[in-house]
Amino acid sequence: MKRLTLLIFRLWPANCSHSAKLRQARLCALLIAIFTLVLFPGASAQKFEKLAQTPPMGWNSWNKFGCDVSEKLIMEVADAMMNTGMADAGYEYIVIDDCWQVDRDGNGEIIVDKERFPHGIKYLADYIHSKGLKFGIYSCAGTKTCQGRPGGRGYEFQDARTYARWGVDYLKYDWCYATTQNAEASYTLMRDALYKAGRPIVFSLCEWGTAKPWEWAGKVGHLWRTTGDIVDRWDAMTDIFDKQKDLVKYAGPGQWNDPDMLEVGNGGMTTEEYKTHFSLWCMLASPLMAGNDLRDMTKETLEILTNEEMIAVNQDTLGKQAFCARDNGDYEIWIKKLAGDEKAVCLLNRSDETKSVEVNLPALLKATDNYWSTDPYKPEDYTVRDIWEHKDVKTSGTMISVTLPPHSVKVYRFEKK
Ligand code: GLA
């Protein structure tokens, strides 16, 4: 408004006093703004910028607890987030997934399950905020959620106001019971509703990739699911991983491909496989939403989830997703370009056999430069760091020999000296 007023002021024919001219310019700017809003109601709507500049990190109830959510559970998980070192490692959002809601009242207001959440949602949000954490909730673009609870369709603006009042910081918005709805239009409507409600909320689209959200959702939300639901099994996890290969160019600060929440620690994979799962998600610049019971973690699970060097790769400020530099079937090499001309390289053994490989380090560096067309590499400028061993690799010459157990990874960071 101020800029528009100034512009009009400058262009206004100067045949009156300065203050009269300013009044007229202000009135004119106001009229233009009103007309614009009436003629193009969506013109001022947008997503909240500056959120999720690195992939969101947190915890979500669905993978472990399904519909068995309650105030007690969520508060205990928030406590565990603080006590275990997860919060220190960067996890901040505590998200209640489906099943917190039961109905709508006569005014359309959403009704919370009183037995499971006796003090209501705002109470819970306040508790989470008091720990310095952030609070997320779940709803759905269709008429019902995937578990048959009331969905958001037709109540977008009302629900967005409610979420803002409760202190919600993150909304996961699902795609069940959406029948013939247009995905882009439905999610854009909720984006506008959130924006209008005025509280900055990370908007997580859960449309499962059916309408190719990577092509349009950068303007709508901060992350979008690219596939159906993850299952806590090696083949299901790698199947989802494979589907991210062609989506490299769509990821960046404030807009992330989401291959679904983590299964680390839920019991369906071996420790080695969970290490691989976590490493791949970090390489992909995926959101890191833990999906296990934070109150009851093994030492191994906690070590995986809080590997700070691996998390630093995920949270790198450049926001690049890794690309597949070599695909030999059972053996793959993935490279993620990092800020300051650094790189993370992940060697992946997908097979059921141990593999021994000879790795040519300068060739790996060069592969990145070819892909992103950056400055020519200089191997002597880098130290090679093993991210899971937490130590520098002693390189004699340019080759290193690596032994990879079945279903495992080696992740190196090429650090600028
Ligand atoms: C869908 C989503 C899951 C979860 C459930 C809840 O399946 O993809 O992540 O939110 O709904 O019902």
Side-chain angles (χ1 to χ4, degrees), residues 62 97-98 138 146-147 172 174 206 208 225 229 260-261:
W62 184 254
D97 208 281
D98 211 344
Y138 161 101
C146 294
Q147 300 305 309
K172 171 175 169 182
D174 217 334
C206 180
W208 319 313
R225 279 275 296 279
D229 290 6
D260 208 356
M261 300 162 301

Side-chain angles (χ1 to χ4, degrees), residues 55-69:
M57 293 177 66
W59 175 89
N60 174 298
S61 55
W62 184 254
N63 283 357
K64 173 73 183 174
F65 297 98
C67 267
D68 196 9
V69 285

